[in-house]
Amino acid sequence: MVIGKADVSWTGSTLIVARTTELAEQLLADGELRCPLCNTGRLAAWGYGRQRIVRDRDGTTVTVQPRRTRCRSCSSTHIVMPAALQPRHADTTAVIGTALVHKANGLGHRRIATVIDRPVSTVRRWLRRLSPAHLERIYQDGARQLLALDPRRKPTVGLRSARRWT
């Protein structure tokens, strides 16, 4: 569910995804984030989640500590994550996205693991979690967003037949 701003979305009952950490902090300061559980309460900053280290595409690591929020009405707590991170993953969204692009281009999990320098089991787990229908939807959404940003540009990656994914 997207609320008020196209930059913030709810995923589940306790995780809020924002385009950037700075945007999330600004929305919290302005009192614009509402509780996804009660839908009426405004969220307030309430400390931070646990600190963790996340690997990026170029091999660097990023130390992050996501913002924790609390609803002023129902007292439920939520974590605000930047879109560049995935919950419960040690790699950034860019790394996982790169693996999906390679899969769309026909590479297998072992080859992808070698190319992006990640364990084979990790890459296999990422790819198994996504059904062909889900991958097609991700591709279609991405293509639509790309065309909205620049109508002259066309997506360069096309999904192969769904039979190849099974």
Side-chain angles (χ1 to χ4, degrees):
M1 172 171 107
V2 176
I3 353 183
K5 306 234 183 238
D7 297 335
V8 177
S9 65
W10 305 121
T11 59
S13 60
T14 59
L15 180 68
I16 302 167
V17 178
R19 182 178 291 169
T20 65
T21 303
E22 294 78 18
L23 173 65
E25 290 294 336
Q26 184 61 47
L27 292 173
L28 275 171
D30 295 344
E32 293 186 36
L33 288 181
R34 295 202 178 267
C35 178
L37 291 180
C38 71
N39 293 320
T40 58
R42 294 191 187 275
L43 296 177
W46 196 60
Y48 294 89
R50 71 174 180 83
Q51 186 175 359
R52 61 191 187 127
I53 297 173
V54 181
R55 300 177 297 217
D56 208 354
R57 276 191 297 200
D58 57 3
T60 61
T61 58
V62 180
T63 302
V64 295
Q65 192 168 17
R67 169 61 82 179
R68 183 177 294 281
T69 63
R70 187 176 187 116
C71 176
R72 293 177 182 169
S73 296
C74 70
S75 298
S76 62
T77 62
H78 310 280
I79 291 287
V80 179
M81 295 272 294
L85 303 177
Q86 293 293 308
R88 294 174 292 283
H89 285 281
D91 292 285
T92 63
T93 301
V95 173
I96 297 170
T98 300
L100 296 178
V101 167
H102 287 308
K103 179 65 174 175
N105 284 326
L107 293 181
H109 68 275
R110 287 184 182 90
R111 189 98 184 267
I112 295 169
T114 301
V115 170
I116 65 172
D117 193 30
R118 295 296 184 271
V120 172
S121 61
T122 298
V123 174
R124 185 175 50 238
R125 187 173 49 250
W126 293 340
L127 299 178
R128 282 185 176 170
R129 288 185 179 171
L130 296 171
S131 68
H134 189 166
L135 289 170
E136 180 66 33
R137 190 175 67 231
I138 290 171
Y139 172 75
Q140 295 297 330
D141 289 347
R144 256 189 249 94
Q145 290 177 13
L146 177 64
L147 290 172
L149 290 172
D150 185 359
R152 298 171 306 211
R153 201 161 170 198
K154 293 184 180 167
T156 57
V157 175
L159 285 178
R160 297 176 186 260
S161 165
R163 287 184 293 250
R164 292 270 324 224
W165 292 85
T166 56

